[in-house]
Amino acid sequence: MLTAGDPIALAREISDGVLFPGALEADASEVVPIDRLDRLADAGFYGLAGPRDAGGMGLSDFGTALEIIEIIASGCLTTAFVWVQHHGAVRALVEAPEPLRDAWLPHLCRGEVRAGVAFSGLRRPGPPILTAQADGDGWRFNGFAPWVTGWGRIDVVRAAARRKDGDIVWALVDAKPGPTLRVEPLRLAAVNASATVTLRFEDQMVPSDRVISIQPFDDWQAADRASLRLNGSLALGVARRCASLLDSERLTAEVDECRRALDETAPDMMPEQRARASELALRAATTLVVSGGGRSITMDEHAQRLAREALFLLVFGQTPAIKAAQLHRLYDGSHG
Ligand SMILES: Cc1cc2nc3c(=O)[nH]c(=O)nc-3n(C[C@H](O)[C@H](O)[C@H](O)COP(=O)(O)OP(=O)(O)OC[C@H]3O[C@@H](n4cnc5c(N)ncnc54)[C@H](O)[C@@H]3O)c2cc1C
């Protein structure tokens, strides 16, 4: 477990020494090999968002966390993608009622318990697709979560279901299939080994001692708008790896400039900067494919993997505002 030293240097060591050399193997696997995730846990990176007193890294600045995410993503996006889903649970548990926090947070920070998340339905307009109805000393969840990443590599899912009044019940649900929790695997053109599934909740009982919080929907929307920076680090990671494989100083400078813009932009301009980062990853990966010639398209080349991953990053974590910004850049021809 990491307690001291330079976390950036350690992230680089794992990314370049373990994750990147194994990225094609991970990409071709059914489920991301567990030893990669164990390596991140052993290094303390499952506690990236946790306080020191609970066994977390206790990072004082968000910038360091973002850099670590980018470095890990530059090694193996599939591994990074499964791992990155965990941090929201850690952050949420820090603020949770004490018994829940004490029971789960240290285990989450050490990566002994690993979490996924099921919240993307909140972004869909129209009636909620996952609902919570009070029932005795708990809640009954019904509906579905279209995307839950890491199945088989996670122990719990931080799930968001809407109450009748629209408020969100956030709860830790065991990642165990059963008659009330059905799992539908998805086949993906990139990061397939992220083992992403659709989860169907059919009268799934959630005891009240698993409820992390109940949040007004408007509060969540504001927080969601303010939290868009993080996933930009996945695109930067892909672009950075392409720049390194191309040995391109110019592309590296572009990645640096894109990161600076993401870091400095105000929340209302973040969708535009996220669109820019995704487009940069796509262009960098395309350049790598072109520069490698025909062999780029063989399955043992990183170029085709990175190109598929860049394509995936166009839609992962896409909000309506990011989608509009991307379409504007790609289709309207404006690169302002
Ligand atoms: C491979 C993969 C893995 C993911 N893993 C996770 C995960 O582990 N956890 C998680 O919470 N999220 C996950 N996501 C979801 C992600 O965070 C985004 O929320 C999601 O990509 C949003 O885009 P979407 O295209 O899926 O949206 P969708 O909800 O499918 O909507 C598609 C488009 O249609 C519009 N739309 C949808 N419904 C309506 C409607 N009723 N009326 C009008 N317009 C509508 C939306 O605004 C959007 O523009 C994952 C996504 C992908 C692609």
Side-chain angles (χ1 to χ4, degrees):
M1 173 82 53
L2 175 96
T3 49
D6 178 357
I8 301 284
L10 184 57
R12 280 210 190 99
E13 194 184 306
I14 295 173
S15 180
D16 292 338
V18 179
L19 300 182
F20 180 65
L24 286 167
E25 185 204 357
D27 180 57
S29 305
E30 273 305 305
V31 188
V32 62
I34 198 155
D35 60 327
R36 321 291 156 88
L37 300 169
D38 290 346
R39 185 73 187 83
L40 294 178
D42 291 346
F45 288 132
Y46 268 83
L48 185 80
R52 259 190 200 282
D53 65 4
M57 293 180 72
L59 293 178
S60 54
D61 72 309
F62 189 45
T64 304
L66 290 173
E67 194 171 350
I68 290 170
I69 291 169
E70 180 183 325
I71 292 167
I72 300 296
S74 79
C76 172
L77 190 69
T78 303
T79 303
F81 188 52
V82 171
W83 163 75
V84 89
Q85 312 297 333
H86 176 85
H87 308 311
V90 172
R91 282 205 320 275
L93 262 292
V94 170
E95 307 290 332
E98 227 168 71
L100 191 68
R101 178 193 149 116
D102 293 350
W104 290 88
L105 189 57
H107 299 290
L108 285 162
C109 285
R110 289 195 291 267
E112 295 158 359
V113 173
R114 298 176 189 179
V117 63
F119 82 98
S120 65
L122 298 178
R123 285 182 177 151
R124 282 198 184 179
I129 57 175
L130 185 58
T131 61
Q133 196 186 1
D135 187 337
D137 183 31
W139 298 86
R140 206 173 271 281
F141 280 18
N142 272 294
F144 70 105
W147 309 97
V148 178
T149 289
W151 201 258
R153 296 290 180 256
I154 54 175
D155 306 290
V156 284
V157 179
R158 185 174 66 102
R162 302 282 296 280
R163 271 191 338 194
K164 213 167 167 182
D165 64 2
D167 286 358
I168 304 163
V169 179
W170 288 98
L172 281 183
V173 176
D174 289 331
K176 285 198 188 109
T180 58
L181 191 67
R182 289 196 293 112
V183 182
E184 294 170 4
L186 296 164
R187 294 289 298 163
L188 306 178
V191 297
N192 186 55
S194 65
T196 297
V197 302
T198 296
L199 274 188
R200 296 200 181 271
F201 297 72
E202 292 167 8
D203 279 336
Q204 168 81 12
M205 275 309 295
V206 177
S208 60
D209 64 2
R210 289 294 194 90
V211 173
I212 305 168
S213 65
I214 295 184
Q215 184 180 33
F217 187 64
D218 290 350
D219 289 3
W220 173 78
Q221 280 192 308
D224 189 47
R225 275 193 297 275
S227 71
L228 297 183
R229 165 66 183 88
L230 193 143
N231 284 329
S233 293
L234 300 178
L236 292 175
V238 166
R240 173 186 184 134
R241 178 58 61 182
C242 295
S244 151
L245 290 171
L246 285 160
D247 198 17
S248 166
E249 274 178 35
R250 197 184 123 185
L251 207 45
T252 301
E254 270 195 78
V255 175
D256 292 343
E257 171 52 26
C258 188
R259 184 187 308 107
R260 192 195 55 71
L262 277 163
D263 287 341
E264 290 177 4
T265 199
D268 62 331
M269 288 306 291
M270 189 56 82
E272 171 54 33
Q273 295 306 328
R274 279 281 307 276
R276 177 182 173 186
S278 297
E279 192 185 61
L280 175 60
L282 192 64
R283 184 158 51 81
T286 308
T287 309
L288 187 64
V289 169
V290 172
S291 98
R295 72 183 155 77
S296 294
I297 225 69
T298 62
M299 290 307 278
D300 48 8
E301 284 293 320
H302 287 286
Q304 54 80 29
R305 172 181 67 80
L306 289 158
R308 285 183 287 111
E309 291 172 352
L311 210 55
F312 152 72
L313 290 174
L314 292 173
V315 290
F316 168 68
Q318 181 177 257
T319 63
I322 295 175
K323 182 178 181 176
Q326 292 193 128
L327 288 176
H328 185 65
R329 294 180 74 87
L330 294 165
Y331 184 68
D332 294 346
S334 164
H335 297 261

